[in-house]
Amino acid sequence: MECYIEVPFMLGEKKVFPDGLIRVSRGTKTWTALVEVKTGSNELTTEQLENYLDVAREQGFDALLTISNEIPAIAGQHPTKVDKRKLRKVELRHLSWSQVLAEAVMQKEFRGVADPDQAWILGELIRYLEHTRSGALEFDDMGESWTGVRDAVATATLRATDKNLPTVVSRFDALLRFTSLSLGRRLGTEVVPVLSRKELADPSLRASALTQQLAGTGQLSGTIRVPDTAGHLVITADLRAGQITCHVDIDAPREGRPTTRVNWLIRQLKNAPETTRIECMTAHSRGSSSAELLRAVRENPGLLVSDPAKEIRSFRVALTSPLGTKRGRGRGAFIDSVLTAVDAFYANVLGDLKTWSATPPKLRPESPTVSEEREPIQPSSLVSTDYSSQDGPDQGDGSDRQAASVIEEVG
């Protein structure tokens, strides 16, 4: 791997200086990418990126990689729009500084680095990126359109055609990605937002769905996946009610009485707050059949059993907290309330939940054989001289055979 900084190139009659160039060689194959970096609040510009794409095409390079504090709404998207014709022969990739920091921490703290020199260098990079003056900023602003949209939701005057909605929707999805990166950095695993195949193929579908949801109900919602957990973590921000709710849906056991299935869940929620809401879904019914707070269910699990004849199929465990309204960071801010709610829900609820698995079948004890010298002693109340389907033709004592012969003579 070869790395260079500020490599000069001629583009027509002017000279341009991309921030870096990376070339990776393996055997006879090489991959080369130009690199453009922005720090702080500086954003990538269309004109500059298109110039570098032209340079990459003329030089036969493979890609242009950009790094900035901008977080695209959906993974794989680029935060800056460029002429798609310039991407026919050159790839355009983007990394946020939050993603770079998350990858660096996971590599050093959880996966490990064998070479001590490389481990030290990576540690210095992490220490630098975490410093407030490095220019690698966290997600800290919901954008200029946030205040107007928030107030319109409160007064029920927001419409799906509002010109400020696309920006707010995009920033919310960016916040979901930042939340996933932050949680994954602390857990040492890859946490990602969950999108359908159609939404991944056409990001406009996700934006349209969020727009309709916010205009219609005043809510913004999204889902993130944490590996090896009992279910997906669903986040719902209700701007009208001023609440944020995190919940997970988990399948109930497929055996046992209704109260047994409820107790199975309650035992796992030993660290959950008493205000945690539990909803119960039964077979062949829409929505929840019952819902109670954890404090009440702990005292009486039967409160969730509305009809003992109906089978409990799944549970929803939800935790609600106040929603901030400010656009920036700090106390009373929307971003911080989302981050705090997700961390609390994982630490107290989702991290303790495990999916149900059936008990393995037990081996049936073998019947004693004729060759055994001593038969086990049984209490008289359990002794029976009745014939069984498991008895052989030669089993039983003399009285059994005598009784059988008498019955045969009478017959």
Side-chain angles (χ1 to χ4, degrees):
M1 178 179 288
E2 304 168 73
C3 299
Y4 306 90
I5 60 171
E6 295 185 353
V7 183
F9 291 97
M10 292 299 301
L11 183 63
E13 297 181 354
K14 62 181 180 180
K15 184 176 290 188
V16 294
F17 297 85
D19 288 325
L21 182 146
I22 298 175
R23 172 165 289 166
V24 182
S25 302
R26 184 180 179 89
T28 58
K29 296 182 179 181
T30 60
W31 180 87
T32 307
L34 296 177
V35 181
E36 177 60 22
V37 176
K38 299 292 184 182
T39 58
S41 59
N42 297 317
E43 296 184 352
L44 300 163
T45 61
T46 300
E47 180 182 2
Q48 187 180 39
L49 297 189
E50 289 185 347
N51 286 339
Y52 294 159
L53 287 171
D54 290 338
V55 170
R57 186 183 68 254
E58 291 179 1
Q59 299 294 328
F61 297 158
D62 300 277
L64 169 62
L65 171 65
T66 60
I67 306 174
S68 72
N69 287 308
E70 300 165 85
I71 302 178
I74 296 178
Q77 277 190 329
H78 200 279
T80 307
K81 293 183 178 180
V82 298
D83 189 344
K84 292 184 178 180
R85 292 174 296 180
K86 296 183 180 293
L87 303 178
R88 291 174 180 173
K89 294 184 178 181
V90 182
E91 289 184 283
L92 179 60
R93 299 293 184 89
H94 179 75
L95 292 173
S96 66
W97 283 116
S98 296
Q99 185 176 353
V100 173
L101 177 58
E103 290 287 344
V105 171
M106 283 192 287
Q107 184 64 48
K108 184 177 187 298
E109 302 296 333
F110 298 96
R111 300 171 189 157
V113 180
D115 186 276
D117 292 337
Q118 292 185 14
W120 180 84
I121 293 173
L122 187 58
E124 288 298 293
L125 173 64
I126 294 171
R127 191 163 67 93
Y128 173 78
L129 292 178
E130 289 180 337
H131 196 279
T132 55
R133 298 184 63 182
S134 68
L137 305 178
E138 292 189 333
F139 189 91
D140 60 357
D141 193 358
M142 286 299 294
E144 296 180 355
S145 302
W146 170 256
T147 303
V149 171
R150 178 201 63 195
D151 294 342
V153 169
T155 57
T157 58
L158 184 66
R159 298 293 179 265
T161 55
D162 192 311
K163 63 180 182 179
N164 293 321
L165 266 179
T167 302
V168 171
V169 164
S170 176
R171 297 297 288 177
F172 178 74
D173 269 342
L175 174 58
L176 282 182
R177 291 200 64 214
F178 176 74
T179 303
S180 302
L181 289 170
S182 300
L183 183 59
R185 188 173 67 195
R186 297 174 61 188
L187 296 176
T189 188
E190 186 177 13
V191 181
V192 295
V194 177
L195 298 173
S196 66
R197 291 183 179 180
K198 291 184 178 180
E199 289 172 338
L200 288 173
D202 185 3
S204 64
L205 295 177
R206 165 68 178 170
S208 177
L210 270 183
T211 299
Q212 295 298 328
Q213 182 187 27
L214 183 57
T217 65
Q219 296 180 344
L220 289 166
S221 64
T223 305
I224 62 177
R225 180 177 64 248
V226 183
D228 302 323
T229 53
H232 293 163
L233 197 165
V234 183
I235 306 164
T236 303
D238 192 331
L239 275 65
R240 288 180 183 172
Q243 294 181 333
I244 180 168
T245 301
C246 296
H247 80 257
V248 61
D249 293 330
I250 181 171
D251 291 335
R254 288 292 180 262
E255 61 185 26
R257 295 175 301 174
T259 52
T260 302
R261 302 184 186 195
V262 174
N263 285 326
W264 168 84
L265 177 67
I266 300 305
R267 285 194 297 269
Q268 300 186 67
L269 298 175
K270 54 183 180 297
N271 297 320
E274 292 185 342
T275 55
T276 303
R277 185 177 74 254
I278 302 177
E279 300 179 28
C280 182
M281 273 67 77
T282 57
H284 310 298
S285 62
R286 294 183 178 180
S288 60
S289 61
S290 59
E292 293 288 346
L293 295 182
L294 182 58
R295 70 164 72 97
V297 180
R298 280 173 173 164
E299 296 179 359
N300 183 9
L303 292 175
L304 285 177
V305 184
S306 57
D307 186 352
K310 292 185 177 180
E311 181 186 8
I312 298 178
R313 301 303 298 270
S314 63
F315 299 102
R316 172 169 292 181
V317 185
L319 190 59
T320 300
S321 57
L323 179 67
T325 57
K326 297 179 181 178
R327 58 175 278 190
R329 296 296 299 270
R331 186 176 182 180
F334 178 79
I335 297 173
D336 286 79
S337 64
V338 172
L339 294 172
T340 301
V342 170
D343 287 347
F345 185 76
Y346 183 86
N348 299 319
V349 178
L350 185 58
D352 292 332
L353 290 178
K354 295 182 180 180
T355 56
W356 176 81
S357 59
T359 304
K362 302 293 185 180
L363 285 172
R364 183 176 182 180
E366 297 181 0
S367 58
T369 61
V370 179
S371 60
E372 292 180 348
E373 297 180 357
R374 182 177 300 176
E375 295 183 357
I377 301 176
Q378 296 180 344
S380 58
S381 60
L382 299 179
V383 176
S384 174
T385 57
D386 294 337
Y387 279 99
S388 167
S389 61
Q390 300 300 315
D391 292 336
D394 296 333
Q395 291 181 352
D397 56 17
S399 60
D400 296 335
R401 290 192 292 272
Q402 184 178 1
S405 63
V406 169
I407 295 174
E408 196 174 310
E409 290 177 4
V410 174

